[in-house]
Amino acid sequence: MHCDASSSSYNYKRDVLGVGQAMVDLHARATTGHISRLGVEKGSRNLVSVAERTRILEHLDYSLSAGGSLSNTLIDLAKLVKAANDAHSLRSNGVAFAGLVGNDALGKYYRAEMGRVGVHVVDTAASMPSSQTTASSRETGTVAVLTDETADRTLFSYLGTQSEISVCKRMEDAIENTSVLVLEGYLFELPEARRTVLAAIAAAKRHGVRVAMTAGDAGVVVRHGERMWECIRAGVDILFTNAAEATALAKCRPVDASHTSQYPLYHSLSPATSQAEAAALCLGPHCPGLVCVTDGSRGSVVVGVGEMRRVPPVWKPEAPVDTTGAGDAWCAGFLFGLLYQGGDIADLGRIAARSASAVISHDGPTLTDADARAVVRQERESGRERVEGGVKRFSRERGQTYLNS
């Protein structure tokens, strides 16, 4: 996707800008037996064609939502911000998405749904030549999400039209006017991904913007680990991964990576150290800010500011219903805490855990409005025990102090 310097400027300040590929999720319930008959491993992510997607969804009832990992995070963050604004008059500059959006019916649906929940979609295709914007030129990607009776989900991704996301004038303006840039790991599956990600990081650094990056999934790391490491070392401040992704990144770490003497090597850690802890410590030296590793039912690990903290999960009385979007909600909660709360890394991990716990308590990959209100209320009430002289308030000033430290 290309756009030129003549495109109109983007001059609205946002707190978070996410860059990635727009996807539409197709949610269905399926038994483990059904998933096994499809010939894939339960809980895996698989790339499929349109014909294969049709076969997978045949005879299944499914619902649609604006989705993809990054979109889930941005939607969840926007809902948390709205809940805090409604209850506590939080002053927020909002959330935006920029990247690859199809111009088909699903792309229009994606834009409308993101706008409905308060996520602005930056149109980086506005100045594309007309020859590149015909109705059939950009198909929106989809993810068929099959959730089984154990609450696990198996993913079937159709990537849609694959084209380069150009860091053009409009994109750079959007990056300049944000506090945190979030780069989606799945970007590395797109053409010229290295150029896109490095250009986005360079633009962020020119304008003093913090850079966060997700890993996508372990398969993305295996396929693109060398490029991911080049981008991490170019200036990623906050790295979001799960244990499998972090382990894959640790194993493909460049041999000339600096600062390794400050942290234990992955293979020399105590046998009592968990996989997530080991990988987080291995990755820690290479992100000047924070490395966050989610670890399923074991909680999460955050490494940064000279320490490692394990954050326990937050459990509800009821068993999980659907684990789709748990990691995305964790990222949203962490970013919410980082931007509007401040505190130590355990505080940030705690609100992230609350968000993840909320989203797995029902079908669907994102927080409901009620979930967001509950997370904000619980986090504010927990501040009674941590803030001397009153109840903790959410504000951009608290978070900005942490970001600028």
Side-chain angles (χ1 to χ4, degrees):
M1 178 180 293
H2 302 279
C3 53
D4 58 38
S6 65
S7 59
S8 59
S9 294
Y10 174 89
N11 56 12
Y12 193 97
K13 185 74 175 179
R14 303 281 176 177
D15 287 336
V16 172
L17 172 71
V19 176
Q21 182 179 13
M23 305 289 278
V24 170
D25 285 351
L26 313 171
H27 306 274
R29 281 280 174 180
T31 65
T32 52
H34 178 86
I35 293 169
S36 177
R37 287 191 293 275
L38 292 173
V40 300
E41 182 180 353
K42 185 172 91 79
S44 62
R45 174 178 178 263
N46 309 273
L47 299 180
V48 297
S49 65
V50 171
E52 289 170 326
R53 181 186 69 192
T54 300
R55 178 178 63 84
I56 289 163
L57 293 173
E58 191 175 15
H59 308 307
L60 294 176
D61 293 329
Y62 61 88
S63 60
L64 275 66
S65 68
S69 177
L70 174 63
S71 299
N72 291 340
T73 292
L74 298 178
I75 290 170
D76 289 340
L77 179 58
K79 289 183 176 182
L80 290 169
V81 167
K82 182 179 185 301
N85 180 63
D86 290 346
H88 311 297
S89 301
L90 169 68
R91 296 188 302 276
S92 166
N93 287 329
V95 181
F97 170 90
L100 195 60
V101 185
N103 56 2
D104 55 359
L106 287 177
K108 293 177 181 178
Y109 169 81
Y110 175 89
R111 291 175 185 276
E113 285 297 292
M114 295 292 275
R116 184 180 63 82
V117 297
V119 179
H120 177 70
V121 177
V122 181
D123 187 6
T124 56
S127 62
M128 288 177 66
S130 58
S131 61
Q132 297 183 37
T133 58
T134 61
S136 61
S137 65
R138 298 199 313 277
E139 292 185 356
T140 303
T142 61
V143 182
V145 183
L146 304 191
T147 304
D148 61 42
E149 63 272 20
T150 69
D152 201 359
R153 81 283 184 277
T154 304
L155 309 180
F156 300 88
S157 299
Y158 166 62
L159 298 181
T161 300
Q162 298 293 279
S163 62
E164 179 184 359
I165 299 176
S166 174
V167 181
C168 57
K169 178 64 166 64
R170 183 183 293 266
M171 177 79 84
E172 177 147 357
D173 286 348
I175 292 171
E176 178 182 0
N177 287 288
T178 194
S179 295
V180 178
L181 171 68
V182 182
L183 300 169
E184 183 176 34
Y186 291 115
L187 280 171
F188 289 94
E189 303 276 47
L190 298 177
E192 304 298 338
R194 173 182 174 275
R195 179 161 59 189
T196 297
V197 176
L198 288 175
I201 292 172
K205 296 305 174 183
R206 281 194 295 274
H207 302 298
V209 174
R210 298 286 180 161
V211 178
M213 190 174 84
T214 68
D217 64 39
V220 173
V221 176
V222 170
R223 290 188 291 274
H224 307 288
E226 183 177 348
R227 292 176 181 175
M228 294 183 83
W229 265 109
E230 182 180 5
C231 294
I232 289 169
R233 297 171 73 180
V236 171
D237 301 297
I238 306 167
L239 182 64
F240 292 113
T241 72
N242 64 27
E245 297 155 4
T247 299
L249 270 171
K251 288 181 177 178
C252 68
R253 183 180 58 178
V255 294
D256 64 337
S258 61
H259 310 302
T260 53
S261 62
Q262 299 179 21
Y263 286 74
L265 293 175
Y266 176 76
H267 57 74
S268 65
L269 290 164
S270 163
T273 305
S274 73
Q275 178 188 43
E277 291 169 336
L281 285 171
C282 193
L283 299 175
H286 311 291
C287 290
L290 300 164
V291 172
C292 307
V293 183
T294 58
D295 198 16
S297 62
R298 291 167 292 279
S300 57
V301 177
V302 183
V303 169
V305 292
E307 62 179 334
M308 179 181 77
R309 299 293 293 271
R310 174 169 278 281
V311 181
V314 173
W315 292 112
K316 293 193 172 185
E318 304 81 11
V321 174
D322 181 358
T323 57
T324 308
D328 307 330
W330 196 99
C331 289
F334 195 92
L335 289 168
F336 179 81
L338 185 68
L339 284 160
Y340 310 114
Q341 173 181 307
D344 65 24
I345 57 178
D347 291 332
L348 304 182
R350 189 176 297 108
I351 192 169
R354 292 187 197 280
S355 299
S357 176
V359 84
I360 66 175
S361 66
H362 54 74
D363 284 318
T366 57
L367 298 172
T368 65
D369 292 339
D371 289 335
R373 289 192 296 268
V375 169
V376 168
R377 183 183 68 252
Q378 292 162 3
E379 184 59 23
R380 183 171 183 264
E381 289 174 351
S382 72
R384 296 176 190 273
E385 301 173 359
R386 301 200 301 272
V387 179
E388 183 179 354
V391 178
K392 175 177 55 184
R393 300 288 295 179
F394 297 109
S395 72
R396 292 187 67 254
E397 289 72 21
R398 290 178 63 91
Q400 291 300 321
T401 297
Y402 186 91
L403 280 172
N404 295 331
S405 63

